[in-house]
């Protein structure tokens, strides 16, 4: 990641219980957060309509839910 990308799209370390699925979901969650923030800023600045922002955030949410399901997060018997 270049300096410019790391400035605009910072990534935080993962501090939870390590599994490959948890790490992948954390990356997906961070990307979701960054995109929602961008959409909220575009809507606040009048660049997109509230309906468009809401629709795009809904699509991102469904992608995150599919990722959660496919990775099997929360389906194990052990506590997180």
């Amino acid at each position: 990641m270049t300096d410019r990308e790391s400035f605009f799209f910072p990534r935080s370390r993962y501090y939870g219980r390590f599994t490959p699925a948890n790490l992948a979901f954390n990356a997906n969650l961070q990307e979701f957060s960054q995109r929602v923030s961008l959409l909220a800023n575009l809507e606040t600045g009048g660049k997109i309509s509230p309906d468009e922002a809401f629709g795009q955030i809904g699509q991102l949410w469904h992608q995150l839910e599919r990722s959660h399901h496919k990775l099997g997060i929360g389906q194990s018997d052990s506590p997180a």
Side-chain angles (χ1 to χ4, degrees), residues 44-57:
T44 299
K47 301 296 183 184
I48 62 175
S49 72
D51 288 336
E52 185 177 352
F54 183 80
Q56 288 187 31
I57 290 170

Side-chain angles (χ1 to χ4, degrees), residues 34-60:
Q34 290 169 355
R35 288 178 179 230
V36 167
S37 178
L38 177 64
L39 288 167
N41 289 330
L42 288 171
E43 190 279 329
T44 299
K47 301 296 183 184
I48 62 175
S49 72
D51 288 336
E52 185 177 352
F54 183 80
Q56 288 187 31
I57 290 170
Q59 289 175 351
L60 292 171

Side-chain angles (χ1 to χ4, degrees), residues 21-43:
N22 285 351
L23 187 63
F25 183 70
N26 180 263
N28 294 342
L29 188 61
Q30 287 189 47
E31 183 176 345
F32 170 80
S33 173
Q34 290 169 355
R35 288 178 179 230
V36 167
S37 178
L38 177 64
L39 288 167
N41 289 330
L42 288 171
E43 190 279 329

Side-chain angles (χ1 to χ4, degrees), residues 59-71:
Q59 289 175 351
L60 292 171
W61 176 255
H62 290 301
Q63 288 175 1
L64 187 64
E65 281 184 320
R66 282 192 299 274
S67 166
H68 185 265
H69 180 71
K70 285 181 181 179
L71 290 169

